[in-house]
Structures are given as structure tokens and as C-alpha cells.
Amino acid sequence: MPVWCCRCSLTGHFRNYSDTETEGEIFNSLVQYFGDNLGRKVKAMPLVEETSLLENSSVTLPVVVIGNGPSGICLSYMLSGYRPYLSSEAIHPNAVLHSKLEEARHLSIVDQDLEYLSEGLEGRSSNPVAVLFDTLLHPDADFGYDYPSVLHWKLEQHHYIPHLVLGKGPPGGAWHNMEGSMLTISFGNWMELPGLKFKDWVSNKRRNLKGDRVMPEEIARYYKHYVKVMGLQKNFRENTYITSVSRLYRDQDDDDSQDRDISTKHLQIEKSKFIKRNWEIRGYQRIADGSHVPFCLFAENVALATGTLDSPAHLEIEGEDFPFVFHSMPEFGAAISKGKLRGKVDPVLIVGSGLTAADAVLCAYNNNIPVIHVFRRRVTDPSLIFKQLPKKLYPEYHKVYHMMCTQSYSVNSNLLSDYTSFPEHHVLSFKSDMKCILQSISGLKKIFKLSAAAVLIGSHPNLSFLKEQGCYLGHKSSQPITCKGNPVEIDTYTYECVKEANLFALGPLVGDNFVRFLKGGALGVTRCLTIRQKKKQHLFVERGGGDGIA
């Protein structure tokens, strides 16, 4: 999917606990789950009133997922007990992988050695489990084949791990707020989630399926429907905004002491005296009248599935805050659709060499608005995204790339009538009279009059609820988290953060910006939590039980 600079929807359909399941009922299901598996009765705590929202509770959930886009939805699906198995008649085109799958056909993929299965596979993700899961769901997709998945799914309710998925808007995340006039970068079947084929869903809408590329609004409706049809609603809470996620610590000399916040300084002084405990998640829920209801939850594990579209990246130059400078595709697209730029003689300036910038070029070009396209890289740079897209599958993006290569600025020819590219240039500043100053790699400066500018150079996730804005979790701890330049550093098979135990990250936060690949994160996290849960149950049984659960 494109790296589109847009914010998650801040509004959504309000639904309270009485419509689905109270927090107390979630706790009861947790109690029943552990009680059934350990063969003993566990005394339940009093139920939370049905009229409550996400109010304070002493219940500690096994998992809280922050973000309800495709990453969070897929994780909820697998935590709910859905398990993938090798289909009885399936033969994977990769003979080596198929041989490995046959060795443990009776086991679900969750219960197999992911490192062993991933070995030797290659794909367009740096995370091996993401490549593995993608090749199981879409065998040889990058070679242009449309082979069916080799997996089939079973709902095994005894594998259910209680969890909550918290999101700002409806399930689907930022897909509900993407520009509706454009096709997605991926085919519909690449955007689908396990267990519900996108084509089957969309065919019920009686849509003409001549083309496989789809509109973002269709994908958003599909994700929202997916949560409902798979029975996941009880795990989802909408209109929730997280303000802090912090560790609680316990004095290891006092088994009866409660979890508590301890200052960093105190912790450093007596680090050996305290052990890490659970997570405290604080925030508020917006209700129908617009008011905010605060909540505080406790979790053994937290999974970050926020995506990276919250905060558009800026050039950090003079004049960038002028009203004619846009920083997201929806803003720029809205200006064009409202006719604000139609008939303008001066060109629009588009900054960036990614797919979002290409979308903006196409949007302006198709509306007969002249374009100045500025980007820092050479047109022959092998890391350009256009180099990774087959021409036959993505003709419109290769049209943009062709123009980038063949319609570049020349001192002799000046600006071209419809589109002019400026490779290896950057913007020095914007002026109040709607002019911009460009500078080439050689230092030559040029001034142009504009009708508007769109700076589309990526975006950052909003991790303000974490200490240090979450920067400490990245490969480069001094820089903000970004999908490409500085993703969250994780164990590549469990998706657990290297620098923070019991904190997981998946999706764009770990570099998987395509829906095809973010599903691997759900597999890695689910396997990790399942293994730990089995160890915990075994430990409880060995100790002969206890008074309850935390």
C-alpha cells in the first residue's frame, strides 16, 4: 500500500460495553480460560458495571493491542484462536518449503519452528516471518502468479488469548481517511486478511471486477466488515486515545506488594531490588457527546500496531508553514477536487520521490495542472520504489517514473508545459509571495512562482505515549521511528522489541508497510505468546495452583 500521509480518523461510531461485552465479562472469559486449562476453579473478581466504558480496573489482561488497522485486526484474529494449517491437497511451488511443511502437517503453522520454515526464502520484506507468511498466503506472487493459498484456517477456541484492541476510529485504522480518488498500490487479494477472500466479499457488493486494483474506501469497508464477520467485535474498542504506556515495578522482597510506578533515578540506584512487572495503559475514550472519559488498563503484554501515518514529515525550512504548502495527500487532493487550483497558470510544486508524491503528480497531471517535481535522488538510484514495481502491473507509476527520467529541467528549455522534474534538487525556502527557492546538488539556485506546494516525504508514527517518544526502541535511538529509515528494532521471529521485554511491534513500525507482509507480525507475536502461555500453565500446574490470576 502507498505510504500516504494522512491521519487516523478522529471520529467513529460510538459503541459502549452493553453492545458487545463488558470488561468484567472479558475478565470472566480470562478466568474461564485459565480455569478450564488448569482443571481448577478460579475465583472471579466482581463484574464491572455494564454501563461502564474503559474505566479503571484491577484486571490485568494478557494483551492490549494499540492500533486497529490491518496489523491489529490480523493479530486479534490469531489471538482469538484461529490457526493456519497446510491444506490437505495443497502443493507449494517452492519444493523445499513444501517438504518442510509436510514434516509437520498435523501441526498449525503457529506451533512450528518459524526460523526453520523461513530459512532460504526471499521477498520484499526484511522480516523473515513476514516473507514466510506471505509466500504461504500468496505463493510466487512477485513472479506474477495468482496461486491460491496453501493454508486453511480452523477456529480452535481453546487457544483464545484474552485481549483488547484500541483504536481512534472504526476497525481499519487510517484506511478510513485515505484519499478516495486513487487506486491502492496493491491488488485486492494482497490487501485481504486471513479467512475472508476480498474478491468473495466484494462480489457480494455486485461490483464490476474487471480490474484487480481497488479503491481505499473499499478496503476500509472490508476491514470493518472482517471484524464483524469473524466475531472479533468483543475485542475492539473505538474512539480511544492513548496518553501513556508505562512499566510498573514490584519490590521483589515483598510478594504481597502492589505494582507501582518508580522514578527512573530510584530505579537506577536500586535496580537489583525491583523487577519489571506489567504495563499500565492510560488514555481516554471519546463518547457521543464529544466528552472524554479517562481509563486505566493493565496488561502483561502490549503490541504496538499504530502504523506510521500520524505525523507527516517536514522539510524544516523557512516558510513551510504558509497555507499554500500542504503536507498530506488528502489535503492536496481536496484542494484540487474543490477546484481551488484549476485554471492556475503557475505550477504546483511536489516534493518527494515515493508513491505518495507520484500519486500527487498523477492527481495534478490528470487535472491539467502543471507540475514541478523536486526530489533529492538521481533517477537511476536503484532504491527508488519504481524500480521494485513491475511495469505491467503498475503502469501509472511507471508513467510518472518515465516523466521523471525524460522531462527533467534544462537551463535551455526552462519549464515544460505540463510536468518538469528536478532530480538531485532540494527546496531551500518558501516565500510569502508564493515563490520557492530550489537548489541543485551543484549549488545552483532557482526561483519559481507557485500556485501550491505538496511536501510528501514520508511520515512518523505518534508514539508520544511512550518514554522518549518511542525513539529508544529504534535501530537509531537518537532519531524518530520511521518505516524505512529507523524502524523499531525487534527480534525477527517473535516481533518483541529488543530494548523492551513484553512490548511487541508489527506492521509499518517494523518496516512492513505493505498489508501483504504485516500479517507475518501477527504470526510471530501469536507464536511467542502461545509458547509463553504454555510455559506459564506448566509452571502453575507444577506449583499446584494458586489463589488466582493477576
Side-chain angles (χ1 to χ4, degrees):
M1 75 186 224
V3 186
W4 290 6
C5 300
C6 61
R7 296 180 181 274
C8 292
S9 174
L10 298 183
T11 60
H13 173 65
F14 169 68
R15 168 171 49 80
N16 64 29
Y17 277 95
S18 61
D19 294 325
T20 53
E21 182 177 67
T22 66
E23 189 175 347
E25 288 171 331
I26 291 175
F27 176 74
N28 274 355
S29 66
L30 184 153
V31 169
Q32 181 180 2
Y33 174 77
F34 280 95
D36 290 347
N37 279 277
L38 298 177
R40 60 185 177 82
K41 293 182 179 179
V42 181
K43 185 178 180 181
M45 296 174 68
L47 287 174
V48 177
E49 292 182 8
E50 290 217 2
T51 55
S52 72
L53 303 177
L54 287 171
E55 292 180 351
N56 296 357
S57 171
S58 58
V59 175
T60 299
L61 289 165
V63 188
V64 168
V65 183
I66 300 176
N68 66 352
S71 296
I73 295 172
C74 192
L75 180 55
S76 176
Y77 177 76
M78 298 191 74
L79 293 178
S80 295
Y82 286 93
R83 289 292 182 267
Y85 288 84
L86 181 65
S87 297
S88 57
E89 298 179 358
I91 299 177
H92 198 283
N94 184 321
V96 175
L97 176 58
H98 185 77
S99 177
K100 292 179 180 179
L101 294 169
E102 285 284 6
E103 293 172 11
R105 177 182 279 276
H106 62 291
L107 295 176
S108 78
I109 304 301
V110 173
D111 297 312
Q112 297 187 38
D113 185 340
L114 299 183
E115 185 172 1
Y116 173 62
L117 294 178
S118 302
E119 188 180 15
L121 298 179
E122 295 181 354
R124 289 192 289 150
S125 171
S126 58
N127 296 312
V129 176
V131 175
L132 167 66
F133 209 29
D134 177 67
T135 196
L136 294 174
L137 293 167
H138 308 289
D140 284 355
D142 285 330
F143 296 105
Y145 295 104
D146 190 21
Y147 294 135
S149 169
V150 298
L151 302 177
H152 75 281
W153 293 82
K154 295 180 182 178
L155 175 57
E156 299 174 344
Q157 294 182 335
H158 61 283
H159 286 310
Y160 175 73
I161 299 177
H163 62 282
L164 280 181
V165 182
L166 308 179
K168 296 176 182 177
W175 283 93
H176 288 280
N177 200 35
M178 288 187 179
E179 181 64 29
S181 63
M182 297 181 185
L183 296 172
T184 65
I185 180 64
S186 297
F187 294 100
N189 64 323
W190 289 359
M191 311 300 292
E192 68 190 19
L193 298 179
L196 179 62
K197 289 185 177 296
F198 181 81
K199 286 184 178 180
D200 292 344
W201 173 80
V202 90
S203 65
N204 292 330
K205 310 300 177 185
R206 301 186 179 183
R207 178 180 177 272
N208 187 343
L209 286 176
K210 287 183 179 179
D212 288 328
R213 302 279 292 285
V214 295
M215 307 292 282
E217 60 191 32
E218 291 179 295
I219 298 297
R221 290 199 303 270
Y222 165 78
Y223 290 147
K224 189 173 181 180
H225 177 76
Y226 181 93
V227 169
K228 181 179 180 180
V229 77
M230 293 300 174
L232 308 179
Q233 305 105 308
K234 65 181 180 180
N235 303 313
F236 281 72
R237 299 293 180 268
E238 301 176 14
N239 304 318
T240 57
Y241 299 79
I242 309 302
T243 55
S244 73
V245 174
S246 57
R247 278 283 194 189
L248 296 175
Y249 292 83
R250 179 167 61 84
D251 189 333
Q252 62 183 1
D253 295 331
D254 183 4
D255 288 337
D256 295 325
S257 67
Q258 293 184 343
D259 293 342
R260 54 197 174 106
D261 245 333
I262 297 173
S263 69
T264 303
K265 185 176 180 180
H266 187 190
L267 190 61
Q268 289 173 343
I269 294 174
E270 299 185 72
K271 195 170 183 179
S272 61
K273 187 179 178 183
F274 299 100
I275 59 174
K276 289 182 178 180
R277 189 68 171 169
N278 296 318
W279 292 99
E280 178 188 78
I281 301 102
R282 290 185 176 272
Y284 62 88
Q285 188 170 33
R286 273 180 64 173
I287 60 175
D289 63 4
S291 59
H292 297 171
V293 179
F295 65 81
C296 177
L297 297 173
F298 300 97
E300 294 176 16
N301 303 280
V302 170
L304 302 175
T306 62
T308 61
L309 301 177
D310 290 298
S311 180
H314 284 58
L315 296 169
E316 307 295 343
I317 60 173
E318 177 191 349
E320 197 172 0
D321 57 349
F322 285 130
F324 67 89
V325 181
F326 303 104
H327 288 87
S328 76
M329 188 58 217
E331 288 179 323
F332 181 67
I336 290 181
S337 63
K338 292 176 182 177
K340 292 181 179 180
L341 305 178
R342 204 177 303 278
K344 296 281 187 179
V345 176
D346 298 320
V348 297
L349 171 72
I350 296 172
V351 184
S353 59
L355 297 176
T356 312
D359 282 335
V361 168
L362 289 168
C363 189
Y365 185 86
N366 293 335
N367 282 275
N368 299 314
I369 300 170
V371 174
I372 294 176
H373 187 189
V374 176
F375 46 96
R376 291 178 176 269
R377 299 184 187 182
R378 305 186 312 275
V379 292
T380 55
D381 190 325
S383 64
L384 284 174
I385 185 64
F386 309 101
K387 300 276 191 180
Q388 304 172 35
L389 303 177
K391 289 183 180 181
K392 290 183 179 180
L393 301 184
Y394 305 99
E396 71 276 33
Y397 288 119
H398 278 276
K399 176 182 178 180
V400 173
Y401 181 54
H402 180 72
M403 292 194 299
M404 290 166 63
C405 296
T406 62
Q407 296 180 221
S408 58
Y409 178 80
S410 166
V411 176
N412 297 325
S413 63
N414 294 317
L415 292 181
L416 302 175
S417 60
D418 53 1
Y419 172 93
T420 310
S421 71
F422 286 78
E424 298 183 276
H425 280 69
H426 64 276
V427 184
L428 280 181
S429 64
F430 294 103
K431 302 300 180 183
S432 58
D433 58 358
M434 298 183 73
K435 290 181 180 177
C436 72
I437 302 175
L438 306 183
Q439 186 174 37
S440 69
I441 194 170
S442 64
L444 185 63
K445 297 178 182 178
K446 309 171 186 68
I447 300 176
F448 295 103
K449 182 77 165 62
L450 307 174
S451 58
V455 177
L456 304 171
I457 55 173
S459 58
H460 305 303
N462 179 7
L463 298 176
S464 59
F465 49 83
L466 293 172
K467 67 179 182 180
E468 300 175 22
Q469 311 286 309
C471 292
Y472 78 104
L473 298 174
H475 288 265
K476 305 169 186 174
S477 58
S478 61
Q479 298 180 17
I481 300 296
T482 60
C483 176
K484 291 184 179 180
N486 188 35
V488 173
E489 187 178 8
I490 56 168
D491 179 293
T492 52
Y493 296 99
T494 66
Y495 286 75
E496 186 172 28
C497 296
V498 170
K499 297 166 185 171
E500 194 74 86
N502 303 107
L503 182 66
F504 299 82
L506 62 164
L509 290 175
V510 299
D512 286 329
N513 206 54
F514 288 85
V515 175
R516 277 178 60 191
F517 296 110
L518 60 77
K519 290 172 275 194
L523 174 61
V525 174
T526 301
R527 172 166 167 74
C528 178
L529 294 178
T530 299
I531 290 173
R532 290 181 182 177
Q533 187 184 65
K534 288 178 180 178
K535 288 180 179 178
K536 184 183 293 186
Q537 292 171 5
H538 183 67
L539 184 62
F540 282 163
V541 171
E542 279 189 342
R543 290 180 174 178
D547 296 330
I549 57 176

